[in-house]
mmCIF file of all heavy atoms in Angstrom:
data_model
loop_
_atom_site.group_PDB
_atom_site.id
_atom_site.type_symbol
_atom_site.label_atom_id
_atom_site.label_comp_id
_atom_site.label_asym_id
_atom_site.label_seq_id
_atom_site.Cartn_x
_atom_site.Cartn_y
_atom_site.Cartn_z
ATOM 1 N N HIS A 1 88.408 77.308 80.741
ATOM 2 C CA HIS A 1 88.774 78.607 81.230
ATOM 3 C C HIS A 1 90.332 78.716 81.248
ATOM 4 O O HIS A 1 91.014 77.971 81.865
ATOM 5 C CB HIS A 1 88.120 78.860 82.598
ATOM 6 C CG HIS A 1 88.255 80.131 83.148
ATOM 7 N ND1 HIS A 1 89.424 80.559 83.800
ATOM 8 C CD2 HIS A 1 87.478 81.185 83.062
ATOM 9 C CE1 HIS A 1 89.244 81.825 84.209
ATOM 10 N NE2 HIS A 1 88.062 82.259 83.704
ATOM 11 N N SER A 2 90.848 79.846 80.613
ATOM 12 C CA SER A 2 92.298 80.122 80.709
ATOM 13 C C SER A 2 92.538 81.022 81.833
ATOM 14 O O SER A 2 91.694 81.963 82.175
ATOM 15 C CB SER A 2 92.684 80.979 79.410
ATOM 16 O OG SER A 2 92.471 80.202 78.276
ATOM 17 N N PRO A 3 93.582 80.770 82.628
ATOM 18 C CA PRO A 3 93.907 81.613 83.755
ATOM 19 C C PRO A 3 94.245 82.927 83.265
ATOM 20 O O PRO A 3 94.617 83.170 82.091
ATOM 21 C CB PRO A 3 95.047 80.913 84.434
ATOM 22 C CG PRO A 3 95.664 80.146 83.319
ATOM 23 C CD PRO A 3 94.579 79.690 82.456
ATOM 24 N N PHE A 4 93.896 83.994 84.060
ATOM 25 C CA PHE A 4 94.187 85.410 83.749
ATOM 26 C C PHE A 4 95.506 85.712 84.309
ATOM 27 O O PHE A 4 95.671 85.517 85.507
ATOM 28 C CB PHE A 4 93.041 86.384 84.246
ATOM 29 C CG PHE A 4 93.269 87.823 83.840
ATOM 30 C CD1 PHE A 4 93.237 88.153 82.624
ATOM 31 C CD2 PHE A 4 93.721 88.709 84.910
ATOM 32 C CE1 PHE A 4 93.388 89.501 82.188
ATOM 33 C CE2 PHE A 4 93.781 90.069 84.517
ATOM 34 C CZ PHE A 4 93.719 90.511 83.192
ATOM 35 N N ILE A 5 96.414 86.223 83.399
ATOM 36 C CA ILE A 5 97.719 86.680 83.933
ATOM 37 C C ILE A 5 98.037 88.024 83.592
ATOM 38 O O ILE A 5 97.822 88.393 82.385
ATOM 39 C CB ILE A 5 98.897 85.678 83.332
ATOM 40 C CG1 ILE A 5 98.646 84.223 83.664
ATOM 41 C CG2 ILE A 5 100.268 86.129 83.759
ATOM 42 C CD1 ILE A 5 99.347 83.172 82.901
ATOM 43 N N LEU A 6 98.460 88.845 84.465
ATOM 44 C CA LEU A 6 98.661 90.215 84.229
ATOM 45 C C LEU A 6 100.069 90.591 84.605
ATOM 46 O O LEU A 6 100.387 90.289 85.869
ATOM 47 C CB LEU A 6 97.577 91.092 84.953
ATOM 48 C CG LEU A 6 97.505 92.515 84.700
ATOM 49 C CD1 LEU A 6 96.102 93.064 84.898
ATOM 50 C CD2 LEU A 6 98.669 93.396 85.477
ATOM 51 N N THR A 7 100.790 91.176 83.763
ATOM 52 C CA THR A 7 102.243 91.497 84.032
ATOM 53 C C THR A 7 102.354 93.015 83.789
ATOM 54 O O THR A 7 101.672 93.576 82.949
ATOM 55 C CB THR A 7 103.307 90.744 83.420
ATOM 56 O OG1 THR A 7 102.995 90.892 81.945
ATOM 57 C CG2 THR A 7 103.295 89.265 83.720
ATOM 58 N N VAL A 8 103.172 93.747 84.579
ATOM 59 C CA VAL A 8 103.336 95.170 84.483
ATOM 60 C C VAL A 8 104.788 95.427 84.044
ATOM 61 O O VAL A 8 105.676 94.850 84.481
ATOM 62 C CB VAL A 8 103.127 95.849 85.820
ATOM 63 C CG1 VAL A 8 103.135 97.335 85.759
ATOM 64 C CG2 VAL A 8 101.618 95.428 86.350
ATOM 65 N N GLU A 9 104.804 96.441 83.045
ATOM 66 C CA GLU A 9 106.098 97.053 82.522
ATOM 67 C C GLU A 9 105.967 98.524 82.625
ATOM 68 O O GLU A 9 104.961 99.085 82.002
ATOM 69 C CB GLU A 9 106.359 96.487 81.150
ATOM 70 C CG GLU A 9 107.735 96.848 80.617
ATOM 71 C CD GLU A 9 107.791 96.435 79.121
ATOM 72 O OE1 GLU A 9 107.063 95.389 78.799
ATOM 73 O OE2 GLU A 9 108.690 96.956 78.380
ATOM 74 N N ALA A 10 106.891 99.156 83.318
ATOM 75 C CA ALA A 10 106.765 100.605 83.485
ATOM 76 C C ALA A 10 108.096 101.292 82.914
ATOM 77 O O ALA A 10 109.137 100.753 82.998
ATOM 78 C CB ALA A 10 106.698 100.997 84.976
ATOM 79 N N GLY A 11 107.746 102.324 82.330
ATOM 80 C CA GLY A 11 108.854 103.279 81.842
ATOM 81 C C GLY A 11 108.522 104.738 82.154
ATOM 82 O O GLY A 11 107.504 105.033 82.733
ATOM 83 N N PRO A 12 109.443 105.593 81.685
ATOM 84 C CA PRO A 12 109.030 107.061 81.944
ATOM 85 C C PRO A 12 107.730 107.453 81.353
ATOM 86 O O PRO A 12 107.524 107.360 80.147
ATOM 87 C CB PRO A 12 110.215 107.771 81.292
ATOM 88 C CG PRO A 12 111.312 106.754 81.086
ATOM 89 C CD PRO A 12 110.493 105.443 81.049
ATOM 90 N N GLY A 13 106.838 107.828 82.244
ATOM 91 C CA GLY A 13 105.521 108.323 81.738
ATOM 92 C C GLY A 13 104.515 107.349 81.137
ATOM 93 O O GLY A 13 103.470 107.669 80.704
ATOM 94 N N THR A 14 104.931 106.081 81.110
ATOM 95 C CA THR A 14 104.203 105.025 80.494
ATOM 96 C C THR A 14 104.103 103.721 81.380
ATOM 97 O O THR A 14 105.170 103.351 81.986
ATOM 98 C CB THR A 14 104.689 104.603 79.057
ATOM 99 O OG1 THR A 14 104.828 105.686 78.355
ATOM 100 C CG2 THR A 14 103.937 103.524 78.491
ATOM 101 N N VAL A 15 103.089 103.038 81.443
ATOM 102 C CA VAL A 15 102.869 101.756 82.145
ATOM 103 C C VAL A 15 102.164 100.954 81.103
ATOM 104 O O VAL A 15 101.183 101.268 80.427
ATOM 105 C CB VAL A 15 102.056 101.844 83.338
ATOM 106 C CG1 VAL A 15 101.850 100.423 83.891
ATOM 107 C CG2 VAL A 15 102.845 102.604 84.367
ATOM 108 N N SER A 16 102.677 99.686 80.871
ATOM 109 C CA SER A 16 102.043 98.686 80.042
ATOM 110 C C SER A 16 101.536 97.613 80.838
ATOM 111 O O SER A 16 102.391 96.908 81.637
ATOM 112 C CB SER A 16 103.061 98.141 78.936
ATOM 113 O OG SER A 16 103.301 99.155 78.033
ATOM 114 N N LEU A 17 100.322 97.179 80.756
ATOM 115 C CA LEU A 17 99.847 96.126 81.480
ATOM 116 C C LEU A 17 99.558 95.005 80.375
ATOM 117 O O LEU A 17 98.762 95.211 79.362
ATOM 118 C CB LEU A 17 98.408 96.354 82.124
ATOM 119 C CG LEU A 17 98.429 97.542 83.125
ATOM 120 C CD1 LEU A 17 97.057 97.732 83.687
ATOM 121 C CD2 LEU A 17 99.408 97.229 84.244
ATOM 122 N N HIS A 18 100.250 93.918 80.516
ATOM 123 C CA HIS A 18 100.128 92.827 79.563
ATOM 124 C C HIS A 18 99.169 91.795 79.984
ATOM 125 O O HIS A 18 99.247 91.190 81.129
ATOM 126 C CB HIS A 18 101.561 92.123 79.287
ATOM 127 C CG HIS A 18 102.634 93.114 78.858
ATOM 128 N ND1 HIS A 18 102.805 93.417 77.591
ATOM 129 C CD2 HIS A 18 103.548 93.753 79.613
ATOM 130 C CE1 HIS A 18 103.832 94.245 77.495
ATOM 131 N NE2 HIS A 18 104.189 94.546 78.744
ATOM 132 N N LEU A 19 98.132 91.594 79.248
ATOM 133 C CA LEU A 19 96.927 90.694 79.576
ATOM 134 C C LEU A 19 97.036 89.388 78.857
ATOM 135 O O LEU A 19 97.343 89.355 77.689
ATOM 136 C CB LEU A 19 95.574 91.424 79.261
ATOM 137 C CG LEU A 19 95.563 92.860 79.506
ATOM 138 C CD1 LEU A 19 94.175 93.413 79.143
ATOM 139 C CD2 LEU A 19 95.798 93.151 81.030
ATOM 140 N N ALA A 20 96.862 88.330 79.576
ATOM 141 C CA ALA A 20 96.898 87.029 79.031
ATOM 142 C C ALA A 20 95.776 86.206 79.631
ATOM 143 O O ALA A 20 95.448 86.326 80.876
ATOM 144 C CB ALA A 20 98.223 86.343 79.203
ATOM 145 N N GLY A 21 95.116 85.358 78.813
ATOM 146 C CA GLY A 21 94.033 84.530 79.292
ATOM 147 C C GLY A 21 92.634 85.083 79.073
ATOM 148 O O GLY A 21 92.449 85.714 78.093
ATOM 149 N N ASP A 22 91.786 84.884 80.110
ATOM 150 C CA ASP A 22 90.369 85.269 79.990
ATOM 151 C C ASP A 22 90.058 86.509 80.847
ATOM 152 O O ASP A 22 90.425 86.544 82.152
ATOM 153 C CB ASP A 22 89.466 84.210 80.397
ATOM 154 C CG ASP A 22 89.480 82.905 79.572
ATOM 155 O OD1 ASP A 22 90.106 82.974 78.542
ATOM 156 O OD2 ASP A 22 88.892 81.834 80.005
ATOM 157 N N LEU A 23 89.581 87.532 80.234
ATOM 158 C CA LEU A 23 89.203 88.701 81.005
ATOM 159 C C LEU A 23 87.613 88.651 81.057
ATOM 160 O O LEU A 23 86.965 88.799 80.171
ATOM 161 C CB LEU A 23 89.638 89.996 80.204
ATOM 162 C CG LEU A 23 89.156 91.298 80.831
ATOM 163 C CD1 LEU A 23 89.781 91.508 82.254
ATOM 164 C CD2 LEU A 23 89.602 92.481 80.003
ATOM 165 N N ASP A 24 87.260 88.260 82.300
ATOM 166 C CA ASP A 24 85.762 87.985 82.434
ATOM 167 C C ASP A 24 85.322 88.401 83.983
ATOM 168 O O ASP A 24 86.032 89.121 84.594
ATOM 169 C CB ASP A 24 85.470 86.417 82.222
ATOM 170 C CG ASP A 24 86.306 85.566 83.126
ATOM 171 O OD1 ASP A 24 86.875 85.970 84.197
ATOM 172 O OD2 ASP A 24 86.370 84.345 82.780
ATOM 173 N N TYR A 25 84.187 87.860 84.233
ATOM 174 C CA TYR A 25 83.518 88.257 85.528
ATOM 175 C C TYR A 25 84.506 87.916 86.719
ATOM 176 O O TYR A 25 84.670 88.769 87.723
ATOM 177 C CB TYR A 25 82.290 87.402 85.674
ATOM 178 C CG TYR A 25 81.661 87.686 87.032
ATOM 179 C CD1 TYR A 25 80.818 88.732 87.309
ATOM 180 C CD2 TYR A 25 81.772 86.726 88.098
ATOM 181 C CE1 TYR A 25 80.263 89.059 88.502
ATOM 182 C CE2 TYR A 25 81.140 87.035 89.339
ATOM 183 C CZ TYR A 25 80.400 88.083 89.531
ATOM 184 O OH TYR A 25 79.754 88.318 90.697
ATOM 185 N N ALA A 26 85.230 86.918 86.667
ATOM 186 C CA ALA A 26 86.046 86.488 87.776
ATOM 187 C C ALA A 26 87.461 87.195 87.789
ATOM 188 O O ALA A 26 88.083 87.331 88.899
ATOM 189 C CB ALA A 26 86.386 84.916 87.749
ATOM 190 N N THR A 27 87.809 87.953 86.686
ATOM 191 C CA THR A 27 89.098 88.502 86.517
ATOM 192 C C THR A 27 89.102 90.017 86.398
ATOM 193 O O THR A 27 90.134 90.669 86.510
ATOM 194 C CB THR A 27 89.930 87.854 85.506
ATOM 195 O OG1 THR A 27 89.336 88.059 84.235
ATOM 196 C CG2 THR A 27 90.158 86.326 85.805
ATOM 197 N N SER A 28 88.050 90.532 85.879
ATOM 198 C CA SER A 28 88.011 91.995 85.536
ATOM 199 C C SER A 28 88.333 92.948 86.648
ATOM 200 O O SER A 28 88.912 93.916 86.390
ATOM 201 C CB SER A 28 86.552 92.378 84.948
ATOM 202 O OG SER A 28 85.605 92.116 85.849
ATOM 203 N N ASP A 29 87.978 92.557 87.928
ATOM 204 C CA ASP A 29 88.325 93.397 88.958
ATOM 205 C C ASP A 29 89.792 93.558 89.161
ATOM 206 O O ASP A 29 90.348 94.702 89.610
ATOM 207 C CB ASP A 29 87.698 93.009 90.268
ATOM 208 C CG ASP A 29 86.208 93.262 90.361
ATOM 209 O OD1 ASP A 29 85.754 94.106 89.699
ATOM 210 O OD2 ASP A 29 85.555 92.683 91.319
ATOM 211 N N GLU A 30 90.478 92.542 89.022
ATOM 212 C CA GLU A 30 91.996 92.561 89.103
ATOM 213 C C GLU A 30 92.624 93.566 88.065
ATOM 214 O O GLU A 30 93.546 94.316 88.379
ATOM 215 C CB GLU A 30 92.600 91.095 88.756
ATOM 216 C CG GLU A 30 94.086 91.055 88.968
ATOM 217 C CD GLU A 30 94.579 89.672 88.629
ATOM 218 O OE1 GLU A 30 93.842 88.658 88.559
ATOM 219 O OE2 GLU A 30 95.894 89.660 88.576
ATOM 220 N N LEU A 31 92.088 93.554 86.876
ATOM 221 C CA LEU A 31 92.679 94.509 85.894
ATOM 222 C C LEU A 31 92.323 95.957 86.317
ATOM 223 O O LEU A 31 93.137 96.849 86.233
ATOM 224 C CB LEU A 31 92.010 94.208 84.471
ATOM 225 C CG LEU A 31 92.280 95.275 83.463
ATOM 226 C CD1 LEU A 31 93.906 95.297 83.210
ATOM 227 C CD2 LEU A 31 91.602 94.938 82.071
ATOM 228 N N VAL A 32 91.019 96.153 86.728
ATOM 229 C CA VAL A 32 90.721 97.514 87.195
ATOM 230 C C VAL A 32 91.650 98.027 88.379
ATOM 231 O O VAL A 32 92.068 99.100 88.478
ATOM 232 C CB VAL A 32 89.269 97.692 87.568
ATOM 233 C CG1 VAL A 32 88.810 98.962 88.123
ATOM 234 C CG2 VAL A 32 88.356 97.389 86.314
ATOM 235 N N GLN A 33 91.825 97.081 89.290
ATOM 236 C CA GLN A 33 92.707 97.439 90.510
ATOM 237 C C GLN A 33 94.099 97.756 90.079
ATOM 238 O O GLN A 33 94.587 98.727 90.532
ATOM 239 C CB GLN A 33 92.588 96.338 91.540
ATOM 240 C CG GLN A 33 91.316 96.175 92.229
ATOM 241 C CD GLN A 33 91.195 94.880 93.063
ATOM 242 O OE1 GLN A 33 92.166 94.135 93.190
ATOM 243 N NE2 GLN A 33 90.119 94.665 93.591
ATOM 244 N N HIS A 34 94.560 96.982 89.204
ATOM 245 C CA HIS A 34 96.060 97.331 88.722
ATOM 246 C C HIS A 34 95.992 98.639 88.018
ATOM 247 O O HIS A 34 96.951 99.431 88.153
ATOM 248 C CB HIS A 34 96.531 96.233 87.775
ATOM 249 C CG HIS A 34 97.146 95.019 88.477
ATOM 250 N ND1 HIS A 34 96.607 94.034 89.070
ATOM 251 C CD2 HIS A 34 98.528 94.868 88.726
ATOM 252 C CE1 HIS A 34 97.432 93.259 89.650
ATOM 253 N NE2 HIS A 34 98.630 93.732 89.403
ATOM 254 N N ALA A 35 95.065 98.863 87.120
ATOM 255 C CA ALA A 35 95.063 100.095 86.325
ATOM 256 C C ALA A 35 94.931 101.370 87.387
ATOM 257 O O ALA A 35 95.635 102.337 87.230
ATOM 258 C CB ALA A 35 93.916 100.234 85.362
ATOM 259 N N ASP A 36 93.968 101.194 88.384
ATOM 260 C CA ASP A 36 93.773 102.228 89.325
ATOM 261 C C ASP A 36 95.046 102.482 90.107
ATOM 262 O O ASP A 36 95.446 103.683 90.377
ATOM 263 C CB ASP A 36 92.659 101.873 90.248
ATOM 264 C CG ASP A 36 92.076 103.009 91.032
ATOM 265 O OD1 ASP A 36 91.963 104.149 90.409
ATOM 266 O OD2 ASP A 36 91.702 102.847 92.196
ATOM 267 N N HIS A 37 95.827 101.373 90.444
ATOM 268 C CA HIS A 37 97.036 101.438 91.236
ATOM 269 C C HIS A 37 98.070 102.269 90.443
ATOM 270 O O HIS A 37 98.688 103.158 90.966
ATOM 271 C CB HIS A 37 97.594 100.172 91.536
ATOM 272 C CG HIS A 37 98.823 100.163 92.288
ATOM 273 N ND1 HIS A 37 98.962 100.509 93.690
ATOM 274 C CD2 HIS A 37 100.068 99.933 91.834
ATOM 275 C CE1 HIS A 37 100.227 100.459 93.999
ATOM 276 N NE2 HIS A 37 101.002 100.142 92.872
ATOM 277 N N CYS A 38 98.185 102.032 89.074
ATOM 278 C CA CYS A 38 99.072 102.770 88.268
ATOM 279 C C CYS A 38 98.681 104.173 88.196
ATOM 280 O O CYS A 38 99.545 105.114 88.294
ATOM 281 C CB CYS A 38 99.077 102.205 86.760
ATOM 282 S SG CYS A 38 99.740 100.486 86.690
ATOM 283 N N LEU A 39 97.339 104.525 88.020
ATOM 284 C CA LEU A 39 96.966 105.901 87.939
ATOM 285 C C LEU A 39 97.164 106.664 89.297
ATOM 286 O O LEU A 39 97.509 107.916 89.265
ATOM 287 C CB LEU A 39 95.515 105.907 87.599
ATOM 288 C CG LEU A 39 95.137 105.478 86.223
ATOM 289 C CD1 LEU A 39 93.662 105.269 86.012
ATOM 290 C CD2 LEU A 39 95.648 106.442 85.160
ATOM 291 N N THR A 40 97.033 106.031 90.417
ATOM 292 C CA THR A 40 97.235 106.741 91.644
ATOM 293 C C THR A 40 98.674 106.861 92.179
ATOM 294 O O THR A 40 98.914 107.710 92.977
ATOM 295 C CB THR A 40 96.320 106.103 92.768
ATOM 296 O OG1 THR A 40 96.644 104.768 92.911
ATOM 297 C CG2 THR A 40 94.851 106.266 92.373
ATOM 298 N N THR A 41 99.470 105.920 91.731
ATOM 299 C CA THR A 41 100.872 105.960 92.246
ATOM 300 C C THR A 41 101.822 106.525 91.321
ATOM 301 O O THR A 41 102.996 106.772 91.645
ATOM 302 C CB THR A 41 101.334 104.449 92.650
ATOM 303 O OG1 THR A 41 101.222 103.683 91.402
ATOM 304 C CG2 THR A 41 100.501 103.925 93.700
ATOM 305 N N ARG A 42 101.380 106.925 90.019
ATOM 306 C CA ARG A 42 102.237 107.453 89.052
ATOM 307 C C ARG A 42 101.851 108.815 88.620
ATOM 308 O O ARG A 42 101.126 108.864 87.555
ATOM 309 C CB ARG A 42 102.363 106.523 87.801
ATOM 310 C CG ARG A 42 103.089 105.056 88.127
ATOM 311 C CD ARG A 42 104.520 105.063 88.161
ATOM 312 N NE ARG A 42 105.123 105.815 87.040
ATOM 313 C CZ ARG A 42 105.626 105.199 86.015
ATOM 314 N NH1 ARG A 42 105.543 103.909 85.927
ATOM 315 N NH2 ARG A 42 106.144 105.891 85.007
#
């Protein structure tokens, strides 16, 4: 199992979420939460 690493890079009108490792049952909620945070705060 590869650890899941998510980094965020933001610019005007754009956010990039850089995904590394395994996106699976154990890590998918983290991605959704980060994306939701970007959508609600930007």
Side-chain angles (χ1 to χ4, degrees):
H1 187 271
S2 298
F4 182 69
I5 300 167
L6 191 151
T7 56
V8 180
E9 183 181 339
T14 302
V15 172
S16 292
L17 301 179
H18 301 276
L19 315 179
D22 294 350
L23 180 59
D24 58 16
Y25 177 80
T27 61
S28 58
D29 283 344
E30 180 181 350
L31 174 59
V32 173
Q33 289 171 3
H34 270 84
D36 198 40
H37 178 76
C38 294
L39 291 167
T40 57
T41 62
R42 296 282 309 264

